[in-house]
Amino acid sequence: DKAPESVMTLAISSDKGLCGGINSKVVKETKLSLAAHEEQGITTELLIVGGKARDGLMRTHSKYFKNTYDEAYKGPVTFSLASFLAEQMLASSASSYTILYNKFKSVIAFDVTAMSFKGPEVLGESGVFDEYEFEGEKEEILADLYQFNLACSVYGCLLENQTSEQASRMTAMDSASNNANRRPTR
């Protein structure tokens, strides 16, 4: 496969601190990704969910920002939010879409993961759906299917990130409580 001409990246972090290094790891991975794309001559746009990633990237990488979304976790994470973010990603005609998020492994472990998708035109070009009949325009149905798949993926990534955030916050608060209980008494 050839390298994409342009990439739209969605970086997912949180709005709050006191949860270990989950936000700084997303910022670091985003910076590495942007540097690699710039080195290869790939045009990159960045959507950011969460104020912590925005703050970490603002000074040095703000030229890549397309939009930032704060307070996304004020209420519960919904499919409507994921659909909105997928729409915003697809509003830019990139040849590849990437989601950077924290993947939950355990209460004390998580990995920053990149999930990449080729552009929506790939569905029609692949020929995989040629043997199926469609009710309506095939291109329109495939575009809707692509957007739904992207929204489902964004939704899963938002939930994984929020789970990692809560687990990391719980671990950090538990460590702080244990340290406070071990303080010397006079």
Side-chain angles (χ1 to χ4, degrees), residues 106-121:
S106 72
V107 175
I108 58 171
F110 54 90
D111 287 330
V112 176
T113 305
M115 185 183 292
S116 295
F117 302 88
K118 292 181 180 176
E121 63 280 346

Side-chain angles (χ1 to χ4, degrees), residues 9-130:
T9 301
L10 174 66
I12 302 174
S13 71
S14 71
D15 293 313
K16 301 176 186 174
L18 300 175
C19 51
I22 69 164
N23 297 314
S24 59
K25 286 186 177 184
V26 169
V27 168
K28 181 180 178 182
E29 197 63 37
T30 302
K31 287 179 178 181
L32 291 172
S33 173
L34 291 172
H37 289 156
E38 191 170 310
E39 191 176 288
Q40 296 172 0
I42 299 171
T43 306
T44 307
E45 286 186 312
L46 192 58
L47 285 176
I48 299 175
V49 175
K52 292 296 182 178
R54 181 207 58 224
D55 295 345
L57 294 166
M58 178 68 78
R59 188 173 51 83
T60 56
H61 293 79
S62 61
K63 67 181 179 181
Y64 298 105
F65 288 11
K66 181 177 180 192
N67 217 335
T68 63
Y69 302 99
D70 294 346
E71 307 296 331
Y73 299 113
K74 254 193 158 155
V77 174
T78 62
F79 189 74
S80 297
L81 173 62
S83 297
F84 171 75
L85 292 171
E87 268 184 41
Q88 296 305 306
M89 288 177 78
L90 292 173
S92 101
S93 58
S95 55
S96 178
Y97 299 91
T98 302
I99 305 170
L100 286 170
Y101 68 102
N102 290 296
K103 183 165 181 62
F104 178 78
K105 291 178 92 175
S106 72
V107 175
I108 58 171
F110 54 90
D111 287 330
V112 176
T113 305
M115 185 183 292
S116 295
F117 302 88
K118 292 181 180 176
E121 63 280 346
V122 170
L123 284 179
E125 294 172 357
S126 69
V128 173
F129 293 106
D130 288 347

